[in-house]
């Protein structure tokens, strides 16, 4: 049990920790809060720790210095290993999650196209709403040095004025660690940890990703985009990671369409 400003138990991208992910940035950010003040509970299930259940309750007014009080947010996540061959570093992880978020009369969703240093790409602006409910599904298939990670979130906003608009987003990421290392699975938390290189020259990892986001529905014009990404990670040591990615985005908003390219580099020290 954790009390304080902590991660909500919703979305693999957030729960899984950015230091461990194959892709450099998260894309489903409109649908979750990175950290919230409240209480979180995590329970490992089964004799072989093949499943986890986590849940939390959060209240923004509890945060020190907060001037808002939207009410209570709730989240829950259930994961399980439905296929596991430890001797060959092969497994299939699946999970489902739910999040209820309160609103103070208005709500807003916005996000960037997989880069925290770029401009906001999609944005609903504030609109009248009473609360929202998010539903998420996730899967991670790992076969030795190759893995595929996918996630889908459907978000329903409880808004009488806009007839309960529904927004969604999803992605699929594939990775291949060229030197044969694997992404280790942590049964205590229900997600994969970072790559640990075995050789003196580290572990290079090729990464590819496709994602879509849609914030248009029932008169709300938040925009939508599709994005492809290619990248290379170099897990130099157990603590240092270097990455470079190229992404291409197709954005459709307010009836106009545009395309953009992004080159993102990162030097990361994992404490």
């Amino acid at each position: 049990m954790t009390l304080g400003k902590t991660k909500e138990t919703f979305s693999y991208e957030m729960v899984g920790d950015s230091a461990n992910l194959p892709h450099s940035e998260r894309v489903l950010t409109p649908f979750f809060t990175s950290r919230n003040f409240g209480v979180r509970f995590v329970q490992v299930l089964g004799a072989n720790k093949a499943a986890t259940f986590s849940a939390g309750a959060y209240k923004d007014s509890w945060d020190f210095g907060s001037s808002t009080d939207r009410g209570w947010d709730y989240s829950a996540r259930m994961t399980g290993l439905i296929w596991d061959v430890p001797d060959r570093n092969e497994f299939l992880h699946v999970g489902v999650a739910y999040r209820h978020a309160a609103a103070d009369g208005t709500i807003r969703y916005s996000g960037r196209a997989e880069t925290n240093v770029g401009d906001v790409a999609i944005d609903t602006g504030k609109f009248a709403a009473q609360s929202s409910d998010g539903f998420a599904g996730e899967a991670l298939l790992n076969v030795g040095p190759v893995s595929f990670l996918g996630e889908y979130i459907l978000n329903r906003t409880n808004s009488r004025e806009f007839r309960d608009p529904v927004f969604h987003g999803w992605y699929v990421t594939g990775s291949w660690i060229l030197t044969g290392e694997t992404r280790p699975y942590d049964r205590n938390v229900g997600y994969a940890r970072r790559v640990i290189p075995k050789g003196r020259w580290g572990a290079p990892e090729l990464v590819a990703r496709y994602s879509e986001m849609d914030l248009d529905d029932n008169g709300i014009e938040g925009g939508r985009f599709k994005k492809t990404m290619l990248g290379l990670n170099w897990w130099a040591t157990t603590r240092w990671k270097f990455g470079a990615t190229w992404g291409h985005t197709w954005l459709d908003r307010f009836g106009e369409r545009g395309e953009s390219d992004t080159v993102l580099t990162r030097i990361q020290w994992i404490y």
Side-chain angles (χ1 to χ4, degrees), residues 7 18 28 41 80 90 100 146 164 180 190 210 224 253:
K7 290 184 177 183
S18 63
L28 300 175
F41 170 81
E90 299 176 356
H100 174 83
V146 177
D164 300 338
Y210 179 80
R224 57 182 182 267
R253 191 176 180 200

Side-chain angles (χ1 to χ4, degrees), residues 30-53:
F31 303 132
F32 56 73
T33 299
S34 60
R35 281 176 172 80
N36 208 346
F37 203 99
V39 58
R40 183 184 66 183
F41 170 81
V42 180
Q43 178 65 50
V44 181
L45 305 173
N48 60 350
K49 298 184 177 182
T52 69
F53 174 77

Side-chain angles (χ1 to χ4, degrees), residues 23 44 54 67 70-71 114 120 122 142 150 179 188 192 227 250:
H23 43 265
V44 181
S54 56
S67 60
R70 295 183 296 102
E114 294 185 45
V120 171
I122 50 177
N142 192 90
T179 46
N188 293 317
K227 181 165 186 177
W250 295 265

Side-chain angles (χ1 to χ4, degrees), residues 66-83:
S66 174
S67 60
T68 62
D69 187 1
R70 295 183 296 102
W72 287 92
D73 294 350
Y74 305 97
S75 65
R77 178 174 177 257
M78 183 79 183
T79 73
L81 285 173
I82 62 175
W83 176 58

Side-chain angles (χ1 to χ4, degrees), residues 78-254:
M78 183 79 183
T79 73
L81 285 173
I82 62 175
W83 176 58
D84 184 26
V85 187
D87 294 342
R88 298 203 299 265
N89 296 316
E90 299 176 356
F91 61 85
L92 175 58
H93 154 103
V94 296
V96 293
Y98 167 76
R99 178 178 186 255
H100 174 83
D104 58 1
T106 63
I107 205 165
R108 180 181 183 178
Y109 304 94
S110 65
R112 296 174 170 83
E114 294 185 45
T115 169
N116 284 334
V117 295
D119 294 331
V120 171
I122 50 177
D123 188 352
T124 63
K126 289 186 177 181
F127 64 94
Q130 292 70 56
S131 63
S132 69
D133 296 284
F135 306 88
E138 63 190 55
L140 170 61
L141 173 64
N142 192 90
V143 182
V146 177
S147 68
F148 295 93
L149 171 64
E151 188 171 5
Y152 176 82
I153 291 181
L154 184 146
N155 193 95
R156 177 183 179 274
T157 304
N158 302 306
S159 171
R160 293 184 294 270
E161 294 79 1
F162 291 92
R163 295 174 288 118
D164 300 338
V166 175
F167 309 124
H168 64 89
W170 64 276
Y171 68 86
V172 175
T173 301
S175 78
W176 175 28
I177 306 169
L178 302 180
T179 46
E181 287 87 346
T182 192
R183 184 165 271 103
Y185 187 78
D186 190 337
R187 296 169 183 264
N188 293 317
V189 289
Y191 59 79
R193 295 289 188 177
R194 63 182 180 270
V195 175
I196 304 299
K198 296 179 180 179
R200 66 178 296 185
W201 302 111
E205 177 186 30
L206 294 177
V207 183
R209 187 187 204 192
Y210 179 80
S211 58
E212 292 190 9
M213 292 289 298
D214 189 342
L215 298 185
D216 285 347
D217 195 34
N218 289 356
I220 303 296
E221 296 183 341
R224 57 182 182 267
F225 70 74
K226 301 176 181 179
K227 181 165 186 177
T228 56
M229 183 273 285
L230 295 173
L232 174 66
N233 294 323
W234 178 37
W235 301 85
T237 70
T238 57
R239 298 294 181 184
W240 286 99
K241 173 189 176 184
F242 302 84
T245 64
W246 166 74
H248 187 82
T249 305
W250 295 265
L251 176 64
D252 188 344
R253 191 176 180 200
F254 300 135

